[in-house]
């Protein structure tokens, strides 16, 4: 009898606890949207990751990098195309800041996560987890969809 | 009096040195900048299917993009736009066009890898490359610039490069340069204009 009661109490506690957890993650957070990696032939050793990152915190957040077990290295990059000469450069960014309430868009021809030396097959069958790292220690795990570039063009 | 003369001479020397250094800097910059009125021209490079000689393509429209496969953002963007354009064309039109991807990274882009890469985008694309000197000469002819950049990451070097897609007409003349991320439908329109000429 005693055992049953305590078990019941435990369950109630568990429900309360998980409720707290859920409400936490719904409130202040970093929200991500449209995370995708353009599909590429398996022999390619550099891929790009794109997504929209919205800062729902009340303070500025500084993205300082990313990591993934699927790649040897992930680097923050910005592509800059000179309008006049059409010369394109990929510039490594140590940090990118996102003001409170703002959305940072990583898009083809702009910011991207440079995904180097895949350790596993990157194909449309699976989601690719990448952890976004912020300067203040905050981390956000994001699952990226792999899809053909064509779909991105069609969506525009 | 004599002292004044020496000071003036010294100042002029310093000024000369300063100007000289500025000019050297400027020259460095122009070496990287893009040829204003490129003329294009014939070239011979290698592909998985043997020698690629532009002369063999008289009578066809040739579309050329300079890039490298270790380029995850700009190159796939432009190749996808090109592919979208090619997908709009019918088989007869396609048979009169040869799109090529010219790798400026022969060190990492083997002919097999290059072929594998371009075929992912479009079946009619051919990947070509060659030795560094030949590539540099071809790039100069087309007004394409590129520069190797050694980054901080261990991923190896990057190559900053022009992102034009060049159109060479049936007579082997460079006619158009489509800028980065050109509207595929606009490319189709231009391509059809040249096919109907
Ligand atoms: Cu990059």
């Amino acid at each position: 009898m005693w055992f049953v009661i305590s078990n019941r109490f435990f369950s109630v506690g568990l429900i309360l606890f998980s409720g707290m957890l859920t409400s936490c993650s719904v409130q202040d957070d970093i929200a991500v949207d449209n995370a995708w990696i353009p599909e590429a032939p398996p022999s390619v050793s550099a891929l790009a990751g794109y997504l929209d990152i919205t800062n729902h915190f009340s303070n500025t957040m500084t993205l300082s990098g990313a990591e993934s077990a699927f790649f040897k290295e992930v680097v923050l990059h910005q592509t800059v195309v000179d309008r006049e000469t059409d010369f394109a450069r990929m510039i490594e960014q140590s940090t990118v800041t996102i003001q409170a309430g703002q959305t940072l868009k990583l898009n083809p021809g702009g910011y991207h996560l440079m995904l180097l030396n895949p350790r596993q097959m990157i194909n449309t069958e699976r989601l690719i987890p990448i952890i976004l790292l912020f300067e203040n220690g905050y981390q956000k795990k994001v699952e990226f969809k792999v899809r053909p570039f064509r779909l991105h063009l069609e969506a525009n | 009096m004599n002292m004044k003369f020496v000071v003036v001479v010294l100042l002029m020397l310093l000024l000369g040195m300063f100007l000289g250094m500025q000019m050297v800097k400027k020259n460095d910059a122009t070496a990287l900048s893009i040829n204003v009125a490129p003329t294009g021209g014939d070239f011979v490079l290698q592909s998985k299917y043997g020698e690629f000689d532009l002369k063999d393509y008289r009578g066809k429209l040739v579309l050329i993009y300079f890039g490298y496969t270790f380029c995850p953002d700009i190159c796939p963007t432009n190749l996808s736009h090109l592919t979208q354009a090619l997908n709009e064309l019918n088989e007869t039109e396609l048979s009169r066009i040869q799109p090529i991807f010219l790798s400026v990274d022969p060190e990492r882009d083997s002919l097999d890898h290059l072929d594998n890469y371009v075929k992912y985008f479009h079946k009619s694309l051919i990947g070509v490359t060659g030795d560094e000197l030949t590539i540099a000469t071809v790039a100069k002819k087309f007004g394409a610039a590129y520069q190797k950049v050694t980054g901080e990451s261990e991923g190896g070097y990057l190559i900053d490069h022009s992102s034009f897609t060049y159109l060479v007409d049936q007579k082997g003349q460079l006619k158009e340069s489509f800028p980065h991320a050109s509207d595929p439908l606009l490319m189709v329109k231009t391509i059809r204009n040249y096919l109907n000429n």
Side-chain angles (χ1 to χ4, degrees):
Chain A
M1 189 60 182
W2 177 84
F3 174 73
V4 173
I5 291 168
S6 81
N7 203 6
R8 203 169 276 166
F9 271 112
F10 180 67
S11 314
V12 171
L14 198 67
I15 290 162
L16 276 174
F17 183 60
S18 59
M20 275 159 68
L21 273 184
T22 327
S23 66
C24 263
S25 61
V26 165
Q27 274 178 5
D28 52 359
D29 206 333
I30 288 288
V32 294
D33 196 23
N34 196 26
W36 69 290
I37 295 171
E39 189 190 22
S43 56
V44 163
S45 52
L47 295 156
Y50 303 110
L51 79 164
D52 301 338
I53 310 169
T54 303
N55 178 10
H56 286 306
F57 286 108
S58 52
N59 53 299
T60 300
M61 290 290 280
T62 305
L63 183 65
S64 57
E67 59 184 32
S68 169
F70 278 66
F71 302 96
K72 194 171 164 217
E73 202 185 359
V74 182
V75 192
L76 264 175
H77 267 182
Q78 187 185 17
T79 297
V80 179
V81 184
D82 184 312
R83 289 241 164 248
E84 225 168 278
T85 60
D86 218 47
F87 193 68
R89 296 187 301 143
M90 271 203 293
I91 304 162
E92 193 166 330
Q93 307 285 319
S94 51
T95 59
V96 183
T97 56
I98 315 170
Q99 305 290 323
Q102 296 296 304
T103 301
L104 171 73
K105 284 180 183 281
L106 284 79
N107 264 331
Y111 287 107
H112 58 269
L113 298 175
M114 180 92 163
L115 312 171
L116 298 162
N117 303 94
R119 287 182 163 132
Q120 299 182 45
M121 282 293 277
I122 307 297
N123 56 37
T124 54
E125 321 274 280
R126 66 205 297 188
L127 291 169
I128 311 298
I130 296 174
I131 299 164
L132 302 178
L133 308 171
F134 292 84
E135 212 166 53
N136 63 1
Y138 182 86
Q139 301 190 350
K140 177 83 182 176
K141 187 179 162 188
V142 185
E143 306 230 284
F144 284 70
K145 255 186 205 155
V146 181
R147 51 189 172 86
F149 212 108
R150 175 172 46 81
L151 294 179
H152 169 77
L153 290 177
E154 279 164 8
N156 283 348
Chain B
M1 189 64 185
N2 227 346
M3 197 57 187
K4 229 179 190 173
F5 179 70
V6 171
V7 169
V8 168
V9 168
L10 271 175
L11 277 174
M12 285 178 77
L13 267 173
L14 276 172
L15 184 71
M17 275 166 69
F18 176 71
L19 286 175
M21 273 160 67
Q22 291 301 105
M23 280 170 83
V24 168
K25 270 189 199 156
K26 254 201 175 138
N27 268 340
D28 274 358
T30 43
L32 272 180
S33 78
I34 290 143
N35 194 341
V36 193
T39 54
D42 285 329
F43 59 83
V44 180
L45 285 166
Q46 309 306 315
S47 82
K48 189 189 171 181
Y49 310 98
E51 211 161 66
F52 179 95
D53 188 342
L54 188 60
K55 275 200 296 292
D56 297 341
Y57 291 82
R58 286 298 118 80
K60 280 196 181 197
L61 278 189
V62 181
L63 294 155
I64 308 170
Y65 184 79
F66 289 76
Y68 66 120
T69 73
F70 197 83
C71 164
D73 185 49
I74 276 289
C75 299
T77 304
N78 287 305
L79 285 176
S80 299
H81 281 248
L82 175 63
T83 300
Q84 289 283 104
L86 296 174
N87 284 342
E88 291 292 320
L89 303 169
N90 61 42
E91 286 299 322
T92 323
E93 289 171 316
L94 270 182
S95 69
R96 298 168 60 200
I97 296 170
Q98 183 54 63
I100 71 168
F101 179 77
L102 197 160
S103 169
V104 293
D105 190 11
E107 198 179 319
R108 286 183 298 199
D109 287 341
S110 71
L111 297 179
D112 273 335
H113 171 56
L114 207 48
D115 181 64
N116 189 6
Y117 180 79
V118 300
K119 288 291 186 289
Y120 168 77
F121 291 95
H122 200 269
K123 61 176 182 343
S124 68
L125 262 161
I126 297 183
V128 302
T129 192
D131 62 87
E132 294 204 5
L133 190 67
T134 313
I135 294 168
T137 315
V138 179
K140 207 173 170 195
K141 278 181 179 174
F142 284 81
Y146 60 95
Q147 191 195 22
K148 210 183 233 193
V149 180
T150 316
E152 292 155 47
S153 70
E154 42 184 309
Y157 58 89
L158 303 173
I159 304 177
D160 294 336
H161 60 90
S162 307
S163 39
F164 285 114
T165 301
Y166 301 98
L167 183 149
V168 174
D169 75 0
Q170 294 89 334
K171 292 176 185 156
Q173 306 276 318
L174 171 60
K175 290 290 188 182
E176 306 278 344
S177 330
F178 299 105
H180 162 65
S182 287
D183 176 5
L185 292 179
L186 212 77
M187 293 175 87
V188 170
K189 212 176 148 199
T190 310
I191 289 170
R192 284 207 168 119
N193 273 341
Y194 281 93
L195 285 179
N196 297 331
N197 259 347

